[in-house]
Amino acid sequence: MPKGYWVSAYRTIADPEKLAAYNKLAGPAVRAAGGRPLARDGRVVAHDAGIAGRTILIEFDSFEQAVAARASAAYQEALAALADGVERDFRIIEGLD
């Protein structure tokens, strides 16, 4: 079964306090839903229209698990804390077999 991945690329961070509140809630919510962070806040080289900013990669055992984690009550609470504190490109993608 192909794994599922969250890919989140931050364009701007307007409110670091909201991001900190989100991080406090999001980490436990992601882990509780079976997510495993693979990359976070490391070095980034951007090409084409990319932005070399904060980038997060989280792995789940399946695409369905990744989608369910995003919809979970715990993660929704984290999103509420983040509100308009950042602008980011958030995607859920299915891995290859």
Side-chain angles (χ1 to χ4, degrees), residues 5-30:
Y5 297 90
W6 285 7
V7 181
S8 186
Y10 287 67
R11 298 179 192 284
T12 61
I13 299 173
D15 191 331
E17 289 179 13
K18 287 183 179 180
L19 179 58
Y22 163 83
N23 287 337
K24 217 171 172 181
L25 297 169
V30 166

Side-chain angles (χ1 to χ4, degrees), residues 62-89:
S62 71
F63 179 78
E64 291 75 17
Q65 186 182 31
V67 170
R70 173 71 166 69
S72 72
Y75 190 71
Q76 292 302 306
E77 182 181 353
L79 285 177
L82 182 60
D84 60 353
V86 302
E87 179 187 358
R88 64 183 184 163
D89 180 353

Side-chain angles (χ1 to χ4, degrees), residues 11 44-53:
R11 298 179 192 284
V44 174
V45 175
H47 296 279
D48 302 324
I51 297 171

